[in-house]
Amino acid sequence: MLSMPPKTVISTLYILVAYLTVQTSAYSANRDTLNFVNDRRGHSSRGGEGAGSPSRGCNLEFDTKATTAQCPKLTTLQAPAVVTLVTDALEFVDQRLAVVYPIIQKFKSIINSDPLGITKSWVGSDICSYKGFYCDNPPDNNSAIAVASIDFNGFQLGAPSLDGFIDQLPDIALFHANTNNFAGTISPKIANLPYLYEFDISNNQFSGPFPTAVLSMSSLTFLDIRFNLFSGVVPSQLFTQNLDALFINNNNFMQRLPDNLVFTHILLLALANNKFTGPIPRSLPKALSSLTEVLFLGNQLTGCLPYEIGYFKEAMVFDVANNQLTGPLPFSLVCLDKVEQLNFADNLFYGTVPELICELGNLVNLSLSGNYFTLIGPLCTNLMERGVLDIRNNCIPGLPFQRSLAECASFFAVPRFCPRVWTNAYIPCKFLYHNGPVSTIPEMAPTP
């Protein structure tokens, strides 16, 4: 019997193992049913532009301000079985990680831009150490480990689509991908993510219609799709969702602002720099009375401001600049006693600047430039001298940097009229007279 040198025997064994590995298909692993019960106690703050340095788990810094976000508390739900391919050479600390490993690797294979070398860390079975991935113990099983959140903020990754990635991570609670180069449309399959409560894909290249799948996600409280290429119509149901923050600014949405809205508790809403048309609906301020920032700038809004603007009683920022709004400013703006910034620049407003507005105690910036106002009083003049009020490019005699006489005459040569003009002096948070006591806010305006 012939004997073989030990080195030859070892080499032969390696060849046989390699051959068997190639010829044998990897096993299919059905994902265990997950009962992922979240004990969320709060919500995250606004989505930031820069990348945070989140700790392991669901406590992340999404903005320049440190904000704690915890996994959401959700009802027990069965997750669909996921078929995955895992090589025998890899060992995972939890089957839930083995399930998502091939999904992550497939996504890695389509990334076409990675200037910061982020994906170099996406190697091996320790998914919780991958840059941008964060794991946590599901509340229903303190010994289990799952991918609970993803933070790609500022990574500058490029990929033609997120389909087959985010929609295949059923344990995900937070997904932040601000400032990347992701494109394509948003898969309707994201509606099957029962634990996702923060979804931020801002400052990317996504296109197509508004992702209506989010309307059926009862867990979602934070939605940020600003600075993309979405277009078409925004469903009116969006404004009645259980959202704390909604950012859809800087897209190509084109429609009239929704009317007949019911009360919503949205705190942060940005509709700026789209193509919204028509007047600001009278029902909108009441429905969105909890807003702290009202951002309608850079659209194609027309008509006069309704007195109901005074119902934005929590607003610290009110910005309707760069539209085609007209008429005199309503006295009800005095009800915005928390406001710090008021911006009416570059519209078609005219008349006298109400002295009541210039009395607002927290006001640090009031811009009325680029309109057709004809008179300001002593309080507003004082704000102008202090640099708080910008009144340039109007039609006020005796002030510098005003429009030409011919330009002002041309504007006032066209008759202008505001419907329900008698409500302009009505102050919903007080009696008609400025120094009167606070009154009950009526459902209807007073009759003339």
Side-chain angles (χ1 to χ4, degrees):
M1 183 176 180
L2 297 175
S3 61
M4 298 176 66
K7 289 186 178 180
T8 302
V9 173
I10 293 173
S11 298
T12 302
L13 289 174
Y14 274 127
I15 292 171
L16 288 172
V17 171
Y19 177 80
L20 290 174
T21 301
V22 171
Q23 296 298 319
T24 304
S25 60
Y27 68 88
S28 296
N30 286 332
R31 183 175 176 215
D32 293 333
T33 298
L34 302 180
N35 295 324
F36 196 178
V37 180
N38 178 336
D39 59 349
R40 183 175 121 215
R41 302 177 188 84
H43 307 294
S44 145
S45 69
R46 303 151 63 181
E49 295 296 322
S53 301
S55 61
R56 207 160 159 140
C58 286
N59 293 330
L60 307 180
E61 291 180 359
F62 295 119
D63 205 340
T64 53
K65 298 180 179 178
T67 304
T68 300
Q70 298 176 336
C71 294
K73 185 172 184 179
L74 297 165
T75 56
T76 300
L77 192 65
Q78 282 194 341
V82 180
V83 178
T84 183
L85 301 177
V86 183
T87 63
D88 290 335
L90 294 178
E91 293 184 3
F92 297 89
V93 297
D94 195 285
Q95 176 64 17
R96 304 184 191 210
L97 299 178
V99 166
V100 300
Y101 172 82
I103 296 169
I104 297 171
Q105 296 305 316
K106 182 179 178 181
F107 177 63
K108 178 181 176 180
S109 71
I110 68 169
I111 290 178
N112 52 34
S113 176
D114 184 11
L116 303 180
I118 301 297
T119 59
K120 291 179 181 178
S121 69
W122 298 3
V123 177
S125 61
D126 188 7
I127 295 175
C128 300
S129 69
Y130 288 8
K131 195 166 186 180
F133 290 81
Y134 301 91
C135 299
D136 203 359
N137 307 117
D140 65 326
N141 187 347
N142 290 331
S143 63
I145 299 177
V147 173
S149 59
I150 291 176
D151 183 3
F152 291 166
N153 279 359
F155 282 3
Q156 302 176 45
L157 296 173
S161 176
L162 290 181
D163 290 0
F165 175 56
I166 177 63
D167 52 280
Q168 295 298 316
L169 303 176
D171 298 329
I172 200 75
L174 301 97
F175 183 80
H176 283 242
N178 177 288
T179 312
N180 286 277
N181 290 296
F182 298 135
T185 58
I186 302 301
S187 170
K189 293 180 181 179
I190 65 170
N192 298 325
L193 302 175
Y195 315 120
L196 186 66
Y197 72 94
E198 291 203 0
F199 189 49
D200 178 2
I201 54 171
S202 58
N203 200 16
N204 282 279
Q205 301 295 319
F206 293 105
S207 58
F210 179 86
T212 55
V214 302
L215 300 177
S216 59
M217 299 172 67
S218 59
S219 61
L220 197 65
T221 61
F222 182 98
L223 178 62
D224 189 349
I225 62 172
R226 57 185 163 163
F227 291 99
N228 279 287
L229 303 171
F230 292 110
S231 59
V233 175
V234 177
S236 59
Q237 305 97 290
L238 177 66
F239 299 97
T240 63
Q241 296 295 106
N242 189 34
L243 295 172
D244 293 331
L246 173 60
F247 301 99
I248 62 174
N249 53 288
N250 294 83
N251 282 283
N252 292 308
F253 295 121
M254 180 184 294
Q255 68 187 84
R256 291 174 68 92
L257 289 176
D259 205 346
N260 299 321
L261 289 180
V262 296
F263 177 77
T264 174
H265 74 278
I266 294 177
L267 300 177
L268 302 170
L269 173 67
L271 305 179
N273 299 316
N274 280 283
K275 297 176 181 177
F276 290 111
T277 61
I280 296 177
R282 294 176 54 199
S283 65
L284 198 66
K286 264 193 174 182
L288 302 173
S289 61
S290 59
L291 284 182
T292 57
E293 295 187 5
V294 182
L295 303 176
F296 294 153
L297 67 152
N299 283 285
Q300 299 173 9
L301 300 177
T302 56
C304 304
L305 291 181
Y307 86 89
E308 286 87 353
I309 290 295
Y311 290 123
F312 284 124
K313 57 184 182 301
E314 300 297 325
M316 291 184 289
V317 177
F318 183 86
D319 194 334
V320 293
N322 294 290
N323 281 283
Q324 299 169 36
L325 297 166
T326 190
L329 294 181
F331 289 6
S332 61
L333 286 167
V334 74
C335 296
L336 279 58
D337 56 3
K338 296 181 181 179
V339 75
E340 297 175 2
Q341 298 184 50
L342 283 174
N343 191 356
F344 301 97
D346 298 314
N347 278 282
L348 304 172
F349 293 115
Y350 58 85
T352 301
V353 179
E355 285 278 87
L356 298 175
I357 299 175
C358 295
E359 284 186 327
L360 288 168
N362 294 310
L363 197 61
V364 295
N365 193 325
L366 171 58
S367 181
L368 302 176
S369 64
N371 285 285
Y372 294 87
F373 291 107
T374 54
L375 182 66
I376 62 172
L379 292 176
C380 294
T381 300
N382 183 44
L383 289 187
M384 181 186 67
E385 293 172 348
R386 289 165 45 198
V388 174
L389 170 62
D390 183 358
I391 198 68
R392 293 172 298 171
N393 205 25
N394 277 276
C395 299
I396 303 175
L399 292 185
F401 308 110
Q402 298 296 295
R403 296 181 186 273
S404 67
L405 183 61
E407 189 176 3
C408 293
S410 176
F411 174 81
F412 288 108
V414 178
R416 301 177 188 277
F417 175 75
C418 286
R420 303 173 70 252
V421 66
W422 45 268
T423 64
N424 191 64
Y426 181 65
I427 302 174
C429 58
K430 302 179 181 181
F431 281 129
L432 183 60
Y433 297 102
H434 176 53
N435 292 323
V438 176
S439 67
T440 301
I441 300 176
E443 291 298 321
M444 300 293 295
T447 55

